[in-house]
Amino acid sequence: MEYIEVAIRDEFIRLGQAMKLAGILSLGSDIKYEIVDGNVKVNGEVEERRGRKLHKGDIFTYQGQDYKIV
């Protein structure tokens, strides 16, 4: 499976921050609505919390593209 890698320096990153870091959307408000509307999956399950903590190895999916936290 092909992933776009999102590199982090800390122990974790919040989902909204990870999406912004990956360049998916530039506005936090747009990211919030995409998450709340159920358009983002984390490790294969729909996630509706923007503050969900992602750790290295976690995968989030948006519009059919997978992003892996590394």
Side-chain angles (χ1 to χ4, degrees), residues 16 19-35 62-63:
M19 291 179 70
K20 193 169 187 176
L21 182 62
I24 295 171
L25 296 167
S26 59
L27 294 177
S29 58
D30 291 341
I31 290 171
K32 175 185 174 182
Y33 291 120
E34 288 299 311
I35 294 170
Y62 178 70
Q63 292 187 340

Side-chain angles (χ1 to χ4, degrees), residues 33-59:
Y33 291 120
E34 288 299 311
I35 294 170
V36 170
D37 289 345
N39 296 326
V40 181
K41 291 183 179 181
V42 174
N43 298 325
E45 296 186 17
V46 173
E47 180 57 65
E48 296 177 346
R49 297 173 294 163
R50 177 173 59 166
R52 163 78 184 263
K53 291 180 181 178
L54 302 178
H55 298 86
K56 292 180 180 176
D58 284 336
I59 297 167

